[in-house]
């Protein structure tokens, strides 16, 4: 995780926020490849179609949008204009996550984490600029300490999202909202420019829809396989295996007994 953060920081220093953050969705593609090639898992047509849709949508967006600019130095007013709405969205999402079904709570925590990820990336980009000039100077800017706070909060919110409900709900919102929030933050803070005139705008929107549909498909497939795995290897399955192999009375280990529901 430390290595991935450092590589992301280098990418943000060299590139634009609206380019780097959408590219991070390729983690889902590598996940499919690792599961299929290294772990020899069966990669069905839904996984391949989701992976191809995510890759094709990402490529289409980068080609059609052709991001440019991004060299603007954010002013204090710009940070407030972008930071306050981001903070408001995070707080609202957390409040909404306190009640409701598990999938809703997971989605709301995931939304809060996604916005935190995007804003943390913006802070990282600025801090890397300070480091490239004089690394000691980064301690004299509030962005360095803001990065530490938002970095911790994003991981805290992500863990709550995974704990609150289905991973399909939490991971889908993380994958969907992070790139969108990053694109908006990149435009508002750093002056990123996207081609939106003529047919470019609709083509970019279609590409994002294809990207998001592929990402959501991969998340749903992963969640479905996780549930099946739990059903096959959970505490109930362990108890059934003990019963099948033993004569009554049987002895149940404290580990299995502790995982069984009451009654």
């Amino acid at each position: 995780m430390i290595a991935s953060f450092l590589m992301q920081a280098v990418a943000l220093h060299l590139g634009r926020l609206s380019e780097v953050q959408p590219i991070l969705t390729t983690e889902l593609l590598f996940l499919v490849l690792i599961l299929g090639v290294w772990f020899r898992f069966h990669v069905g047509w839904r996984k391949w179609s989701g992976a191809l849709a995510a890759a094709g949508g990402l490529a289409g967006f980068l080609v059609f949008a052709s991001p440019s600019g991004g060299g603007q130095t954010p002013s204090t007013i710009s940070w407030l204009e972008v930071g306050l709405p981001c903070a408001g969205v995070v707080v609202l999402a957390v409040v909404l996550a306190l009640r409701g079904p598990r999938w809703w709570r997971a989605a709301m925590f995931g939304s809060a984490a996604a916005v935190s990820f995007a804003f943390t990336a913006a802070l990282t980009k600025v801090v890397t600029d300070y480091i490239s000039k004089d690394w000691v100077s980064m301690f004299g800017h509030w962005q360095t300490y803001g990065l530490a706070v938002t970095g911790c909060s994003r991981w805290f919110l992500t863990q709550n999202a995974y704990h609150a409900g289905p991973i399909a709900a939490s991971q889908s919102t993380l994958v969907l909202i992070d790139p969108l929030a990053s694109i908006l933050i990149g435009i508002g803070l750093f002056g990123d420019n996207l081609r939106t005139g003529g047919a470019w705008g609709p083509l970019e929107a279609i590409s994002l829809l294809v990207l998001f549909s592929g990402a959501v498909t991969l998340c749903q497939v992963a969640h479905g396989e996780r549930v099946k795995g739990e059903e096959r290897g959970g505490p109930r399955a362990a108890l059934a295996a003990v019963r099948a192999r033993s004569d009554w009375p049987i002895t149940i280990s404290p580990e299995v007994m502790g995982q069984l529901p009451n009654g």
Side-chain angles (χ1 to χ4, degrees), residues 176-190:
L176 295 177
I177 296 178
D178 183 12
L180 287 177
S182 297
I183 292 171
L184 295 176
I185 292 174
I187 294 173
L189 275 181
F190 305 106

Side-chain angles (χ1 to χ4, degrees), residues 57 60-65 195-210:
F61 170 76
L62 293 177
V63 170
F64 297 140
R195 290 191 301 190
T196 55
W200 298 118
L203 288 173
E204 293 165 24
I206 293 173
S207 298
L208 287 177
L209 288 175
V210 173

Side-chain angles (χ1 to χ4, degrees), residues 39-262:
F39 291 100
R40 306 294 182 181
F41 283 13
H42 173 68
V43 180
W45 69 269
R46 287 193 66 193
K47 289 195 193 75
W48 282 121
S49 62
L52 292 175
L58 174 61
F61 170 76
L62 293 177
V63 170
F64 297 140
S66 185
S68 60
Q72 179 177 305
T73 301
S75 63
T76 302
I77 298 298
S78 297
W79 280 111
L80 289 175
E81 291 175 346
V82 172
L84 290 178
C86 288
V89 171
V90 171
V91 172
L92 177 61
V94 171
V95 171
L96 293 175
L98 298 179
R99 296 182 180 276
R102 296 181 69 245
W103 67 267
W104 169 262
R105 298 180 61 209
M108 289 299 99
F109 274 122
S111 301
V115 176
S116 297
F117 266 86
F119 193 74
T120 300
L123 291 171
T124 302
K125 180 175 177 60
V126 173
V127 172
T128 56
D129 290 338
Y130 296 146
I131 295 175
S132 65
K133 297 174 183 177
D134 180 12
W135 70 271
V136 178
S137 66
M138 72 176 184
F139 297 106
H141 298 275
W142 68 265
Q143 288 89 344
T144 302
Y145 308 100
L147 174 60
V149 173
T150 57
C152 293
S153 64
R154 72 176 187 174
W155 291 117
F156 175 76
L157 292 170
T158 302
Q159 294 304 313
N160 276 275
Y162 291 150
H163 178 72
I167 192 173
S170 57
Q171 193 66 22
S172 296
T173 51
L174 282 168
V175 172
L176 295 177
I177 296 178
D178 183 12
L180 287 177
S182 297
I183 292 171
L184 295 176
I185 292 174
I187 294 173
L189 275 181
F190 305 106
D192 291 2
N193 293 318
L194 306 180
R195 290 191 301 190
T196 55
W200 298 118
L203 288 173
E204 293 165 24
I206 293 173
S207 298
L208 287 177
L209 288 175
V210 173
L211 165 63
F212 294 156
S213 64
V216 171
T217 298
L218 289 175
C219 294
Q220 290 175 340
V221 171
H223 174 62
E225 293 188 347
R226 186 177 75 94
V227 171
K228 291 179 181 178
E230 289 176 350
E231 291 175 351
R232 290 194 298 266
R236 292 184 181 275
L239 179 57
V242 171
R243 286 175 174 169
R245 294 193 306 266
S246 307
D247 295 328
W248 291 92
I250 63 173
T251 301
I252 304 175
S253 67
E255 290 79 8
V256 174
M257 181 62 75
Q259 297 179 62
L260 292 175
N262 293 333

Side-chain angles (χ1 to χ4, degrees), residues 30-43 48:
F30 288 106
L31 174 61
V32 173
L33 291 174
I34 291 172
L35 290 177
V37 175
W38 185 260
F39 291 100
R40 306 294 182 181
F41 283 13
H42 173 68
V43 180
W48 282 121

